[in-house]
Amino acid sequence: MSIDIQSAQKQFEAHFGFAPTVIARAPGRVNIIGEHTDYNHGFVLPMAIERETVVLARPRQDGVLNAYAANFDKSAQARLMTWDKSAQNGWIDYVVGVAFELSKMQRPLCGADLMIIGDVPVGSGLSSSASLEMATLVLFEQMGGFAVEGPEGPLLGKRVENLFIGVNSGIMDQFIVRMGKAGHALFLDCRSHEYELVPVAFESARFVIANTGVTRGLSASKYNERVAECAEAVTSLAAATGRKGSHLRDFTEGDLESAACLMTDVAYRRARHVITEDLRTKAACEAMRAGNAVQLGALMTASDISLRDDYEVTCPELDAMTSIARALPGCYGARMTGAGFGGCAVSLVDVGATDAFVRELLARYREATGLPGEVIVSAPAEGAGLAS
Ligand code: GLA
């Protein structure tokens, strides 16, 4: 756990004048490989990280959500059953959205005085929003005395993003944040929701996350644009091959080549990224099972090149970070992670070289961009739950 629970409790007491009775937490995540594949019904391989969001609360009987965001020192109120979005405090929408979805599932809800505190960098591709959603879900489960089972929890979080917040994102973030296990990555089939916890057991390598410090500006609209481009590619591929298919998952590299002359250049390149990324993700899962850091690193780098050239979701700062990383001693591979357009890169680095790698990466990144950057070295962490 990265947030000190005792001092968070004290901060809650100082703010509200009484102690919290429920404390829920959920981690952020880093995606190792399988990028922009989830909403195409493909495969992903993320892990939860040792950064988290904690929600402390005491129930209220009047249906009011009286929330305090400690990181921003901001308060906002909402009322259960009203389900309005906040004009000024977007962060409370995630709490309200989770309650709204639970109300549709007829789960018993109550209001709360609640405080949110976290250290997942916001807007950096490490899923601070899924982390808040899944911590909030644990909170309502505990206060209402019910449990949302299996993939239903992550799916609820996805509906919050898609229907309440308005981002057409996939299932990956909420799934790993809710279902992650310490010491493991999670290989997920985003169509069937079958998953496997894969031990991260490299003898001599670890994941280094590097934040460019560029927050994802127009990411929601650019993200939704990519989702729409994939849908367009599916329509062209189905017409060209005469086969039914609802998502890019349903088509192969062979299909793509045979349909190439009937597709726009953009649709072709978007589809090529997604179809080849699924193959890389399955191969990466094998490499991870085998503890083969060289193989996994090469796949991560290939993923990055595809995201840069075909999917076009990197930016100059991400490209600087990944190319600097790849040139440093001990780096097996590096790629952007998350939605892109800013945010973080992740590298697989030899344990013995890590300290020098981090130092050099930050120094050279600053030299190239003028930005400080930030590094997080994290082991795979535990998914959402109550804070003990
Ligand atoms: C964001 C979305 C995910 C996924 C990634 C890209 O994190 O929330 O569903 O699509 O981008 O892989």
Side-chain angles (χ1 to χ4, degrees):
M1 255 186 239
S2 53
I3 296 291
D4 183 72
I5 297 296
Q6 277 188 353
S7 42
Q9 274 171 311
K10 285 204 188 103
Q11 202 174 342
F12 182 102
E13 280 186 50
H15 186 80
F16 288 109
F18 45 78
T21 56
V22 186
I23 306 177
R25 59 159 294 279
R29 67 99 187 89
V30 64
N31 190 20
I32 297 164
I33 195 165
E35 214 67 84
H36 288 278
T37 48
D38 60 353
Y39 53 83
N40 289 300
H41 282 191
F43 300 89
V44 293
L45 186 66
M47 70 180 206
I49 58 170
E50 295 161 320
R51 293 290 184 105
E52 64 188 349
T53 306
V54 176
V55 185
L56 306 92
R58 191 174 85 163
R60 292 170 64 116
Q61 300 315 318
D62 60 359
V64 169
L65 293 169
N66 181 29
Y68 174 60
N71 294 69
F72 315 134
D73 191 23
K74 285 249 158 68
S75 295
Q77 283 75 35
R79 185 169 283 281
L80 294 177
M81 314 313 291
T82 310
W83 315 129
D84 289 330
K85 279 174 81 172
S86 167
Q88 287 97 33
N89 292 292
W91 51 271
I92 200 178
D93 292 345
Y94 296 96
V95 178
V96 175
V98 169
F100 181 41
E101 285 301 324
L102 286 169
S103 80
K104 289 200 258 172
M105 294 161 77
Q106 320 281 319
R107 301 300 177 132
L109 290 174
C110 65
D113 291 302
L114 62 93
M115 181 180 109
I116 302 163
I117 184 163
D119 63 358
V120 185
V122 173
S124 299
L126 300 178
S127 289
S128 58
S129 56
S131 168
L132 174 55
E133 286 156 11
M134 294 297 100
T136 302
L137 176 57
V138 172
L139 180 79
F140 281 118
E141 286 178 311
Q142 185 68 12
M143 293 195 304
F146 62 87
V148 177
E149 300 293 341
E152 282 309 312
L155 283 166
L156 179 152
K158 179 176 181 297
R159 289 196 298 278
V160 173
E161 292 284 346
N162 297 168
L163 308 174
F164 203 76
I165 307 294
V167 181
N168 295 326
S169 53
I171 189 68
M172 168 171 70
D173 303 347
Q174 290 81 5
F175 211 97
I176 179 63
V177 164
R178 173 92 165 173
M179 315 292 242
K181 284 278 165 260
H184 295 77
L186 187 147
F187 178 66
L188 174 66
D189 178 334
C190 299
R191 172 166 276 171
S192 67
H193 302 145
E194 279 168 24
Y195 67 97
E196 179 193 339
L197 290 161
V198 187
V200 177
F202 297 108
E203 273 166 29
S204 63
R206 58 172 66 165
F207 292 105
V208 176
I209 301 161
N211 192 348
T212 59
V214 178
T215 47
R216 301 178 280 139
L218 292 163
S219 62
S221 58
K222 286 278 175 202
Y223 185 97
N224 288 348
E225 185 182 292
R226 291 295 176 279
V227 177
E229 287 164 352
C230 288
E232 184 201 321
V234 167
T235 308
S236 311
L237 278 162
T241 58
R243 282 204 287 108
K244 283 207 180 107
S246 58
H247 291 79
L248 285 173
R249 161 76 173 270
D250 299 311
F251 299 95
T252 63
E253 276 184 293
D255 294 335
L256 185 62
E257 290 321 314
S258 63
C261 55
L262 299 169
M263 299 175 80
T264 64
D265 174 57
V266 166
Y268 172 80
R269 286 186 296 113
R270 304 299 188 247
R272 182 165 64 183
H273 165 71
V274 174
I275 292 170
T276 57
E277 183 78 348
D278 272 342
L279 299 173
R280 282 187 290 271
T281 305
K282 288 192 242 178
C285 188
E286 285 302 322
M288 191 172 268
R289 280 194 204 100
N292 188 338
V294 172
Q295 178 72 13
L296 178 58
L299 289 160
M300 288 168 67
T301 293
S303 163
D304 189 59
I305 305 296
S306 175
L307 286 156
R308 185 190 67 194
D309 298 345
D310 276 353
Y311 218 67
E312 296 178 287
V313 288
T314 64
C315 62
E317 293 83 0
L318 272 171
D319 293 340
M321 190 70 92
T322 47
S323 57
I324 293 166
R326 289 194 283 264
L328 288 172
C331 181
Y332 294 107
R335 58 182 291 276
M336 57 147 277
T337 184
F341 312 107
C344 290
V346 58
S347 306
L348 187 63
V349 183
D350 191 81
V351 174
T354 307
D355 290 348
F357 174 87
V358 168
R359 230 180 12 253
E360 279 298 305
L361 182 63
L362 289 176
R364 292 190 196 184
Y365 178 70
R366 183 193 282 269
E367 211 174 275
T369 63
L371 296 168
E374 180 203 1
V375 161
I376 301 170
V377 181
S378 179
E382 188 70 19
L386 290 170
S388 44

